[in-house]
Amino acid sequence: MAQQQPERRRGGGGGGLALLLLLLLLLLLAAALRPAEALENGLARRPPLGWLHWERFLCQTDCAREPHRCVSEQLFMQMADVMVSEGWRDAGYEYLCIDDCWMAPTRDKQGRLQPDPKRFPSGISKLAAYVHSKGLKLGIYADVGSKTCAGFPGSKGNYKLDADTFASWGVDLLKFDGCNFGTLAQLVKGYKDMSRALNETGRSIVYSCEWPLYQRPLQKPNYTEIKQYCNYWRNYEDVYDSWCSIKDILDWSALHQDDIAEIAGPGGWNDPDMLVIGNFGLSRDQQVTQMALWAIMAAPLLMSNDLRSICPQAKALLQNKEVIAINQDPLGKQGYRILADHKFELWERPLSGGGYAIAVLNRQEMGGPQTITFSTAILGNGLACNPTCWIQQILPTKRELGLHNWASAFKVLVNPTGTALLKTKVPEEKPAAGTRRPPEH
Ligand SMILES: *[C@@H]1O[C@H](CO)[C@@H](O)[C@H](O)[C@H]1NC(C)=O
Ligand SMILES: *[C@@H]1O[C@H](CO)[C@@H](O)[C@H](O)[C@H]1NC(C)=O
């Protein structure tokens, strides 16, 4: 059994007053010397929620043949309408985001990016105004390099101009891709320059980066630095509409959790890519797994699906208030895997108020539902249920699992490739002093 133990909180031992003061002084000094921790644009204090066209609609530019599915202002206006009428906005999904393939093949006479005139005849500022009139925000896409991934004009050499253009249109979020970036130094400088250029526009624009994704093959990303420039960032490959892809992203995230989980927090998040729930490739149980684990990972929840025709089950899952609340937990700590073998995985995420979100994932791809039993002592490094906790199941269905203590075990039934999402809660009444036992190891 592979056990992965990320950094844990440890209770402080008592020390002399002088030692304590010295420590405090050192801490203050360190804090004073340390540069700003997150991008200071006041945005993305919680993981952003919204919709992004890429995984479902890709680069369909042929509106004559595919009027209903091409990347056009009509698609985004319809999606905005549905986001309001079908409760998505009220559930928290706020950013309606355009990905690659919105541009005309060349810049305009003044050198500015321009939308494809056939597919976006009203222009982006009109679209932004429409989206804003619905109480939503508009996201757009550009690329740090010479060309976007689909071959449209890149922003290299035009960061200031492009940032100013987006701001003048009323754009609220920029997804900045990294195709055709040139050298590593140009990649890093480009992401920083665009961050500064966005700031200088004076408009609040969420900044989504793919900097570590393109940097990692060449050099280990410095997440402290990335968080100073970006509101969220992609680390790994594009998501596909398949269980294979979801598994792969989860495996990568668990393998690199010591690198990436600690840095996440208000203002800066790891982005494991879009939610593909409501499409074709995931079973009902696999959709539950994606939703549960994206909540555990404090991931931006950017759906890529067709909200005009989504099935009620997928809609209920994506709009589940309690799962969204876990994703949006104000403590802003990213969860991590605490246990894995060939049959199941256990993930946890510390929540505000002392509780934990727990995901029990059944990795077996044969057989039927499995009853998985484990000790509460493993949760929260022994602290989650010490001395007692309430446990509630949230997905796939809501169920009370009752009051537990540090020495109890509990069972959940999980379908193959499915996940049980649970939540622990510290009981209201304060335990009497002296009843706390140290966790067993
Ligand atoms: C620009 O950055 C400064 C601090 O670095 C911050 O106070 C300000 O709010 C930022 N402005 C925008 C529009 O992001
Ligand atoms: C990472 O970046 C931070 C902030 O710029 C810097 O202080 C730190 O030295 C860097 N770490 C490494 C290993 O380069």
Side-chain angles (χ1 to χ4, degrees), residues 55 240-244 276 278-284 286-287:
E55 194 287 321
Y240 288 81
D241 187 13
S242 78
W243 175 234
C244 213
V276 294
N279 292 320
F280 310 95
L282 301 186
S283 72
R284 164 81 182 141
Q286 292 159 2
Q287 297 187 41

Side-chain angles (χ1 to χ4, degrees), residues 85-106:
S85 63
E86 294 296 318
W88 298 100
R89 181 191 63 191
D90 294 344
Y93 294 93
E94 184 181 21
Y95 288 91
L96 176 58
C97 303
I98 307 172
D99 208 289
D100 204 349
C101 302
W102 62 272
M103 294 176 201
T106 56

Side-chain angles (χ1 to χ4, degrees), residues 243 283-289 313 343-345 360-372 393 395-397 412-421:
W243 175 234
S283 72
R284 164 81 182 141
D285 289 296
Q286 292 159 2
Q287 297 187 41
V288 167
T289 294
Q313 254 188 352
K343 288 186 185 149
F344 76 94
E345 292 180 11
V360 188
L361 168 56
N362 180 356
R363 286 293 295 256
Q364 290 201 103
E365 297 184 13
M366 60 194 305
Q370 293 286 323
T371 301
I372 299 167
Q393 180 164 340
L395 289 176
T397 50
V412 283
L413 189 69
V414 194
N415 290 347
T417 68
T419 292
L421 180 65

Side-chain angles (χ1 to χ4, degrees), residues 35 222 224-225 228:
N222 179 341
T224 310
E225 189 178 29
Q228 289 165 9

Side-chain angles (χ1 to χ4, degrees), residues 40-43 198-205:
E40 284 178 4
N41 59 5
L43 301 170
L198 290 172
N199 178 280
E200 282 162 14
T201 68
R203 184 173 174 84
S204 288
I205 299 176

Side-chain angles (χ1 to χ4, degrees), residues 5 43 65 73 151 247 254 284 287 309 381 387 408 439:
Q5 298 282 349
L43 301 170
R65 274 181 53 195
E73 63 184 33
K247 272 193 302 192
R284 164 81 182 141
Q287 297 187 41
S309 59
N381 203 28
S408 51

Side-chain angles (χ1 to χ4, degrees), residues 14 156 216 219 259 263 279 291 309 319 363 392 408:
K156 191 179 233 165
R216 188 174 285 275
Q219 184 184 58
D259 263 7
I263 195 75
N279 292 320
M291 192 68 187
S309 59
Q319 292 192 2
R363 286 293 295 256
Q392 187 182 53
S408 51

Side-chain angles (χ1 to χ4, degrees), residues 34-36 192 221-226 228-229:
R34 204 173 46 196
K192 291 181 180 177
N222 179 341
Y223 286 99
T224 310
E225 189 178 29
I226 290 168
Q228 289 165 9
Y229 292 92

